[in-house]
């Protein structure tokens, strides 16, 4: 039976046990911390070239099981693929057309899954984006509040200002900005589940007069410069490379002269957006974020600039997102039984891999997180930003 | 005589007086603050389409004179060209090949002009790059010291570290970092005049054991990762678009894993680097910085990333450079008589326009200044940067 394992596999030394469908076991090293239970015999031949997409897909389909802590599973599976798969296999994926219909479907697929499920492992405010850890030791709850504050500070929000929140999720940031900074907020999302719960929370907090949330596509935003500031968190990843130019123009049209625009989102390692991580991106595209496309920092800053916005402050929070995802993954792993009653088994398998996998991907630098602040200068080139960033840290 | 002025000119209302070679005068508005003295009759027809390059070149060639404060001259001449010249005339200039020989010549043309002349209007440390004004009210001397400190803080310099200064100018930053942060510095320049004076100053301060300066091309930098940190101030503007990829690779090769690289330089408004400002860039290219090429922020961050460096912090200091250039321009204007004895008349005319013109260009947003901090992550994706930027402002 062991002879059936591809020769390439037998040469490896990894803390990995392969358990085959007939009960035979094969250890690739001493003291294995992870076990891959191969339930489908046809998988064995694939193991000579096991991309992370292959392993992940087989897990989602129930053709293999993964045993061990989910973070250790990611680490060992990565070492396995790194030893056997050439990173250069990655090519720039074919990008899909993004229109309002496909975007609405893609967003609904992920975000309308189950509010209860997301509540299970997100913080209380259900902030579904990179947190901001001031020392690295904060709780997730604290770090998400600090992220809100960091964004509001960067936007130099002042009482009475009108803030647009593009991709408002469950409305945590919109309510925070209204409550703590006294602004009026217009938030948009394409997820009906998010919108319903977000509106409930606005009402529960008595903020209806200051926070208005709508199911709206960014392409339908008013273009009359009515907003003093714009914040977009975890949104541009869904826009698509082909539409980033239009996206930037829509933000430019929505914000007033002298106004600020914050884009906070995941960026690709390479300038052409091709993924790294030996198939990890294919898995994400297939199962997690259909039609998601990560732009490189240079791509998003390019489109922002050409739209007429001036990039004034960029900050990478890559390791903050690794830490955030570690929190999410650990919280989910602690409640797998409860989660299993909320979503289909396949969805749970997808989320287990996706959360642990993205934590790993951020820690390795396969993907990044950038907060990109831009200003729409007045025709004479002026704006109201302070001379330094001191005020962010006062 | 007045009838000879192009009809387009006669319709304008600007605080501008045109004084012709025969003594005739023509005011384009009441209370003119600026006078253009047209000495060459053949210029009149050009005035129907007066690019800033045309006006500037005619001034350098002595075919016209400009009267009024130099900053007001810039403002009024800009309004004149804006009314008569279509901004879309600008096309992407043909980029020259950059090799060591042409780069050495280009650098020498500008920086070897006269140390005494530069001393006349730069601060005492002869810092020839954008200063950092904490409130906007600092003296130039203070703001340049604060810029040094801002750069050293961003680089998280620690005693004993080895810092590479690419394009070290007159050595102000190298000496500051060695003196205030206890680092060892290796600085390079292609200007023999800068190097000579910079070495004198290192010696005068008794820093020979910690600051080594060499006449060296960036392409000849050691590629063994010997430097803990790299700083490059006002340098990438001279590299050329075609060589920015190589430049980024040279920095990557010179810095150790986990090390930091700071690029501080002037960036273009457009992603393809095409200039704005109705011919101002042509003037700069012809008379001030031959073969200089400004990359857009997206271009320089793209090459930095593809070389293997991760962009972690970007800050625009556009209005700081406008202020810096205002200082330089005013200092020069106050000492025109002394300056006239140091450099040829044509050079002085060039510098008067270039300093006032660039101050104006930064204030209008035709060009920008970005400090771009990048890290060379270790193979496992880790680095030693703190979680936040708090330490920069402590």
């Amino acid at each position: 039976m062991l002879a059936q394992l591809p020769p390439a596999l037998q040469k490896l030394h990894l803390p990995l046990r392969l358990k085959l469908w007939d009960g035979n076991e094969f250890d690739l090293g001493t003291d294995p911390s992870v076990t891959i239970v191969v339930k489908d015999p046809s998988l064995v031949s694939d193991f000579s070239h096991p991309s992370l997409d292959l392993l992940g897909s087989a897990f989602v389909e129930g053709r293999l099981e993964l045993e061990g802590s989910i973070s250790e599973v990611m680490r060992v599976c990565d070492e396995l693929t790194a030893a056997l798969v050439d990173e250069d296999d990655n090519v720039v994926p074919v990008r899909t057309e993004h229109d309002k219909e496909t975007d609405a479907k893609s967003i609904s697929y992920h975000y309308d899954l189950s509010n209860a499920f997301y509540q299970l492992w997100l913080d209380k405010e259900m902030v579904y984006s990179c947190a901001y850890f001031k020392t690295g030791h904060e709780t997730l709850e604290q770090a998400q509040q600090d992220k809100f504050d960091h964004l509001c500070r960067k936007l130099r929000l002042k009482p009475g200002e009108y803030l647009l929140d593009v991709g408002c999720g469950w409305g945590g940031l919109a309510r925070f900005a209204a409550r703590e900074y006294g602004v009026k907020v217009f938030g948009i999302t394409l997820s009906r589940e998010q919108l319903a719960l977000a509106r409930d929370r606005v009402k529960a907090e008595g903020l209806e007069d200051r926070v208005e949330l709508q199911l709206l596509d960014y392409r339908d935003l008013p273009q009359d410069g009515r907003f003093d500031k714009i914040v977009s968190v975890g949104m541009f990843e869904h826009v698509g490379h082909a539409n980033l130019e239009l996206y930037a123009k829509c933000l430019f049209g929505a914000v007033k002269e002298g106004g600020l625009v914050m884009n906070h989102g995941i960026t690709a390692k390479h300038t052409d957006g091709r993924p790294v991580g030996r198939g990890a991106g294919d898995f994400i595209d297939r199962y997690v974020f259909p039609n998601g496309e990560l732009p490189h920092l240079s791509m998003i800053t390019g489109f922002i600039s050409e739209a007429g916005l001036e990039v004034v402050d960029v900050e990478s929070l890559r390791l903050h997102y690794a830490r955030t995802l570690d929190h999410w993954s650990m919280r989910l792993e602690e409640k797998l039984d409860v989660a299993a009653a909320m979503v289909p088994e396949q969805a749970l398998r997808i989320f287990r891999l996706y959360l642990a996998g993205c934590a790993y991907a951020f820690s390795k630098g396969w993907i990044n997180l950038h907060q990109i602040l831009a200003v729409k200068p007045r025709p004479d080139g002026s704006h109201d930003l302070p001379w330094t960033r001191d005020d962010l840290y006062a």
Side-chain angles (χ1 to χ4, degrees), chain A residues 90-154:
Chain A
N90 277 318
V91 290
V92 181
V94 177
R95 306 296 184 181
T96 51
E97 286 290 310
H98 283 253
D99 56 34
K100 290 180 189 176
E101 196 183 346
T102 57
D103 284 350
K105 271 188 203 167
S106 304
I107 294 302
S108 178
Y109 169 84
H110 188 95
Y111 298 97
D112 288 345
L113 176 63
S114 158
N115 282 341
F117 175 68
Y118 284 111
Q119 272 177 299
L120 200 62
W121 46 272
L122 291 176
D123 67 313
K124 275 181 207 142
E125 290 291 330
M126 300 182 72
V127 192
Y128 194 21
S129 53
C130 174
Y132 180 66
F133 294 89
K134 289 191 174 182
T135 68
H137 302 299
E138 288 76 11
T139 63
L140 178 62
E141 316 280 336
Q142 183 63 51
Q144 291 292 12
Q145 292 296 302
D146 289 342
K147 188 263 297 288
F148 284 165
D149 201 57
H150 199 45
L151 288 171
C152 292
R153 281 177 179 237
K154 283 186 172 177

Side-chain angles (χ1 to χ4, degrees), chain A residues 181-194:
Chain A
Y181 284 79
V183 297
K184 203 178 138 195
V185 188
F186 182 70
I188 66 171
T189 175
L190 287 178
S191 162
R192 292 174 192 279
E193 291 294 315
Q194 288 188 327

Side-chain angles (χ1 to χ4, degrees), chain A residues 138-390:
Chain A
E138 288 76 11
T139 63
L140 178 62
E141 316 280 336
Q142 183 63 51
Q144 291 292 12
Q145 292 296 302
D146 289 342
K147 188 263 297 288
F148 284 165
D149 201 57
H150 199 45
L151 288 171
C152 292
R153 281 177 179 237
K154 283 186 172 177
L155 284 164
R156 276 81 177 181
L157 292 186
K158 288 195 283 281
E161 287 188 332
Y162 197 16
L163 172 68
L164 167 64
D165 183 357
V166 183
C168 63
W170 288 281
L173 175 57
R175 283 182 289 108
F176 180 91
R179 190 199 322 125
E180 306 295 332
Y181 284 79
V183 297
K184 203 178 138 195
V185 188
F186 182 70
I188 66 171
T189 175
L190 287 178
S191 162
R192 292 174 192 279
E193 291 294 315
Q194 288 188 327
L195 181 66
L197 182 52
R199 282 180 171 168
D200 285 349
R201 291 186 166 194
V202 168
K203 203 171 173 184
E205 220 176 309
L207 290 168
E208 301 104 309
D209 58 330
R210 276 191 279 162
V211 179
E212 180 188 357
L213 305 178
Q214 294 286 351
L215 200 75
L216 195 75
D217 191 287
Y218 69 87
R219 283 155 285 206
D220 295 324
L221 282 169
Q223 296 294 293
D224 54 4
R226 72 176 65 175
F227 298 104
D228 296 293
K229 311 283 170 70
I230 299 178
V231 68
S232 171
V233 180
M235 159 60 194
F236 67 60
E237 303 93 314
H238 297 295
V239 167
H241 292 188
N243 282 5
L244 280 173
E245 180 179 0
L246 174 62
Y247 167 76
K249 283 179 179 171
C250 288
L251 300 189
F252 177 84
V255 74
K256 73 166 187 182
E257 284 176 2
L260 295 170
V261 178
M262 164 60 78
N263 274 285
H264 162 125
I266 304 171
T267 50
K269 188 182 181 78
H270 289 294
T271 48
D272 58 9
R274 73 182 185 278
V276 289
R278 291 173 300 282
D282 296 331
F283 178 84
I284 296 294
D285 189 54
R286 192 194 322 269
Y287 291 114
V288 186
F289 292 112
N291 296 325
E293 296 180 21
L294 304 184
H296 186 265
L297 172 65
S298 63
M299 187 184 286
I300 184 78
T301 55
F303 285 123
I304 287 170
S305 295
E306 285 300 335
L309 300 166
E310 175 186 355
V311 175
V312 291
D313 183 359
V314 179
E315 181 177 17
S316 166
L317 297 178
R318 173 168 67 84
L319 296 178
H320 294 248
Y321 217 164
R323 179 65 53 95
T324 305
L325 280 149
D326 274 336
H327 276 283
W328 292 343
S329 178
M330 287 186 293
R331 289 157 83 114
L332 176 58
E333 292 297 314
E334 284 166 9
K335 297 165 191 162
L336 288 178
D337 290 347
V338 189
M342 292 174 165
V343 293
E345 187 193 343
Q346 201 186 35
L348 185 54
R349 285 177 176 244
I350 290 169
F351 270 78
R352 291 186 66 202
L353 284 193
Y354 140 60
L355 294 178
C358 283
Y360 189 81
F362 279 106
S363 76
K364 296 284 276 190
W366 296 350
I367 45 181
N368 211 319
L369 188 293
H370 284 104
Q371 289 187 336
I372 304 159
L373 183 69
V375 64
K376 179 173 177 174
R378 300 189 190 91
D380 67 356
S382 69
H383 58 65
D384 302 321
L385 278 165
W387 284 90
T388 74
R389 307 184 299 202
D390 276 75

